[in-house]
Amino acid sequence: MSRISGRPAISTEHVYGLTLRVARWRADVGGTPLLFLNGIGADIAAAAPLLAQMHGREVWTLDMPGVGGSPDALLPYGASTIAAVVMEIAERLGHKMLDIAGFSWGGALAQQIAIQFPGRVRRLVLMATTPVMGAPGIGWTALFDDDMLASGLKIQTATPLGIAYQTAAMAGWSSAAFLPGLKKVPTLVLTGERDGVMPACYGQMLASLIDGAVLEVVPGSHLFPFTHAAAIAARISAFLEQPATARQAAA
């Protein structure tokens, strides 16, 4: 029996030479499923207290190579490759259309997926993330996040190689030139009011580049999705359940 919050169904997927641990909450619920993409070095267990509170829909996530229950990759991988791996798993789960929520490193990957797989993402939630990855040490910087220190949360479960490959996958990555093309994808951008890892300016950049994006500053620092899990789960759920506007329906 799983000891992870909410007791998700745990499986292992083998894709393109990678072995990845996958967790699914409420897999029998209909509607558009939500994929959550975690920050660098963070595993399923770290995300579980947030995801277990998102009722009324299937929610799933996975451990990246070298993180949590996923063994190290044999070779480095790029952003486009890991995006294709994630979407192959989505296909296997029967998910043709997804909502995606991405945190920090996972927020960059969420953008990559939305850009790389047009028409497969219904709504997008970007949390504590950026359109330009230029800080390879953010995974370790998060260890000194104010809220994390106060709460005692521990999110790093990655091997040194896992961290290195995750960092390399986004080295020099930028979505800035492509984000205007996401104007048909309703997007919520959340940034922590005291985030010293991804300051509010990055959220402002994202919102300015994605036509129609909603930008909100929320309490907490970089790890606000975990330290303020109930409030963030409620806000994400409310956003995903909003009826489409006339403009969105026409698109």
Side-chain angles (χ1 to χ4, degrees):
M1 181 180 296
S2 173
R3 295 182 181 180
I4 298 173
S5 297
R7 298 180 179 177
I10 303 293
S11 63
T12 300
E13 296 291 337
H14 304 279
V15 185
Y16 306 152
L18 297 175
T19 300
L20 302 173
R21 182 174 68 159
V22 177
R24 302 173 73 185
W25 288 259
R26 295 169 294 281
D28 57 345
V29 176
T32 305
L34 173 67
L35 164 63
F36 176 79
L37 298 169
N38 218 332
I40 193 168
D43 68 355
I44 287 168
L50 169 69
L51 305 185
Q53 297 187 64
M54 303 189 68
H55 304 290
R57 68 176 61 244
E58 176 179 346
V59 182
W60 65 285
T61 189
L62 68 162
D63 287 338
M64 289 295 153
V67 178
S70 297
D72 285 323
L74 295 177
L75 297 170
Y77 52 86
S80 60
T81 297
I82 202 65
V85 166
V86 170
M87 293 306 279
E88 172 61 24
I89 294 174
E91 286 277 359
R92 294 181 184 184
L93 299 180
H95 301 159
K96 300 297 182 182
M97 180 69 72
L98 293 169
D99 292 329
I100 302 182
F103 162 68
S104 197
W105 186 96
L109 181 57
Q111 295 168 61
Q112 178 68 35
I113 291 173
I115 293 164
Q116 190 171 334
F117 294 89
R120 296 285 306 278
V121 179
R122 188 186 73 108
R123 294 197 176 202
L124 192 60
V125 181
L126 303 175
M127 299 179 285
T129 192
T130 172
V132 180
M133 275 290 188
I138 62 171
W140 301 114
T141 305
L143 290 172
F144 304 100
D145 178 272
D146 290 344
D147 281 352
M148 180 174 166
L149 291 173
S151 67
L153 275 173
K154 296 180 180 179
I155 65 167
Q156 291 286 356
T157 62
T159 67
L161 188 61
I163 288 285
Y165 281 179
Q166 274 197 277
T167 298
M170 291 296 178
W173 175 90
S174 175
S175 62
F178 304 98
L179 290 180
L182 297 183
K183 60 184 178 182
K184 295 181 180 179
V185 181
T187 301
L188 173 65
V189 179
L190 299 178
T191 183
E193 63 182 355
R194 295 182 288 104
D195 191 340
V197 181
M198 290 289 176
C201 61
Y202 291 107
Q204 292 164 358
M205 288 172 62
L206 284 167
S208 68
L209 289 166
I210 303 173
D211 188 24
V214 175
L215 172 65
E216 295 182 10
V217 179
V218 299
S221 47
H222 188 60
L223 296 180
F224 66 81
F226 308 129
T227 56
H228 297 69
I232 297 304
R235 182 62 189 97
I236 293 173
S237 294
F239 172 72
L240 297 181
E241 292 163 10
Q242 284 178 350
T245 64
R247 174 182 174 184
Q248 291 162 359

